[in-house]
Amino acid sequence: MTSHALKSVAPVTTITSAIPANVTSNADLQARKNAATPRGVGVMCDFYADRALNAELWDVEGRRYIDFAAGIAVLNTGHRHPKLMEAIRAQMERFTHTAYQIVPYASYVELAERINAITPGQHAKKTALFSTGAEAVENAVKIARAATGRPAVIAFSGGFHGRTMMGMALTGKVAPYKLGFGPFPGEVYHAPFPTALHGVSSEDALAAVNGLFKSDVEAKRVAAIILEPVQGEGGFYAAPAEFMRGLRKICDEHGILLIADEVQTGFARTGKLFAMEHYDVLPDLMTMAKSLAGGMPLAAVCGRAEVMDAPAPGGLGGTYAGNPLAVASALAVLDVIEEEHLVARGARLGAALKDFLIGLGSGIAAIGEVRGLGAMVAVEFVHPGTDKPDTEFAKRVQNHALKNGLLLLTCGSYGNVIRFLFPLTIPDTVMDEALVILGKAIFDANDAQA
């Protein structure tokens, strides 16, 4: 990659052709969207996608954007990777759906075998396929309850596990996910997640988990503890190694299963194929989705064979679970990650981004922390001299970047964190361009505050 010294931002590229005859303008589509779809489906952008390739996206009016959102961590292999497109086309020529539980197919079995082989640990494993990350989490809880005969689950503040009823119950963030939707399933308990910036140590968090056994639920009623190794919506906080070891010890002492939710962290995002490879303990179950199939809806639960076999036949599944088009895409994703060395590439790009952000820190007092594993990087903005979140600063950065053609996502309990989820296949030249836009957005936000 070239030098990331700030320079003037090049104008956002546009396509000279007019809006296609069968497509209205962004403004017309926005009006139609507001009339036809409910407000509960929150939409960040007021423009509409027309086409995309790798790390770039064009709207219906021809305006170009560099995509650092990647469909919320779905496109580690980029938009429309040729190998994925080829695999999907080939499968479409054979069949598109049979329902695996009715007429099975070899590709489902092959993908399960590959996931069993590449996930952490050499123990015997089995994998079941589903359609979404939330569905994977729901089924992981079902499997844990069937295996232990226990009802309770412990999750963590700031964690995000989906928008289904159990997913919302496990999620440790009220707005916007839980507003007006209760009551939620019972026997779900929360403990604080360790966040050094905000004064919560691993020791504090582990003490809180043990405290639940004294004040809320007896340990022998707990089926599982679930956590994201790196919190996604919660702010890209990585679980410290000592915290993960402590959880494994608690689980072993009390016969509790440890579930690693790798829906956002999986498939080369953190500088390892899976985030749990950064730790010296193993989970009993893992959930995965998002970049597993490069944009096709697919999720999985992988775990110890004896645990996965606990539910009775018919207890797991779903009409579209393990859709053959998505499975074909997932097999191609695994090939691309290996052939294009995306684990190492993600680590390199993430390190360059962190260095860039840290380099800005001396001139931007609002930067409270730059953190992340591999290419799962975030910058948290605070009021200078404190650890108090500065949500407005993050919004200004996001808005300035968007006006100049760079898509960014916020996260964190207070929305004061910018997270970076660029495709790992992004060309170096496009990455350089994005960093120029990002740097200018941060300085513009800082100037506006002054």
Side-chain angles (χ1 to χ4, degrees), residues 267-283:
F267 302 98
R269 175 54 57 182
T270 68
K272 302 282 188 181
L273 193 56
F274 295 99
M276 285 303 296
E277 294 179 67
H278 290 281
Y279 303 96
D280 57 3
V281 299
L282 296 174

Side-chain angles (χ1 to χ4, degrees), residues 344-356:
R345 179 169 174 76
R348 176 174 71 82
L349 292 172
L353 175 57
K354 287 176 71 174
D355 288 345
F356 176 80

Side-chain angles (χ1 to χ4, degrees), residues 122-291:
Q122 300 302 310
H123 52 280
K125 303 173 205 155
K126 292 190 175 182
T127 292
L129 300 180
F130 303 98
S131 299
T132 69
E135 194 179 356
V137 168
E138 292 269 345
N139 280 278
V141 172
K142 287 166 55 178
I143 292 164
R145 285 176 167 174
T148 63
R150 303 174 178 186
V153 183
I154 294 172
F156 293 93
S157 59
F160 179 80
H161 300 287
R163 290 180 172 88
T164 56
M165 294 305 288
M166 177 56 75
M168 286 189 293
L170 294 169
T171 291
K173 183 179 179 181
V174 173
Y177 307 114
K178 297 186 179 186
L179 295 177
F181 295 133
F184 302 109
E187 295 281 36
V188 173
Y189 304 89
H190 287 88
F193 193 84
T195 52
L197 179 64
H198 300 293
V200 181
S201 67
S202 294
E203 184 178 356
D204 295 333
L206 292 169
V209 173
N210 282 311
L212 290 174
F213 302 147
K214 301 294 184 183
S215 62
D216 292 278
V217 59
E218 57 182 318
K220 68 181 181 181
R221 288 183 58 79
V222 178
I225 296 175
I226 185 170
L227 82 160
E228 300 160 281
V230 183
Q231 289 194 329
E233 294 291 323
F236 279 30
Y237 297 107
E242 63 271 18
F243 179 66
M244 198 69 78
R245 291 189 201 107
L247 289 181
R248 183 70 266 176
K249 182 179 179 183
I250 289 171
C251 288
D252 291 342
E253 287 176 355
H254 299 290
I256 298 168
L257 299 180
L258 183 62
I259 303 174
D261 183 342
E262 294 240 24
V263 167
Q264 189 163 164
T265 56
F267 302 98
R269 175 54 57 182
T270 68
K272 302 282 188 181
L273 193 56
F274 295 99
M276 285 303 296
E277 294 179 67
H278 290 281
Y279 303 96
D280 57 3
V281 299
L282 296 174
D284 300 294
L285 294 166
M286 289 177 59
T287 62
M288 58 200 77
K290 289 195 181 284
S291 280

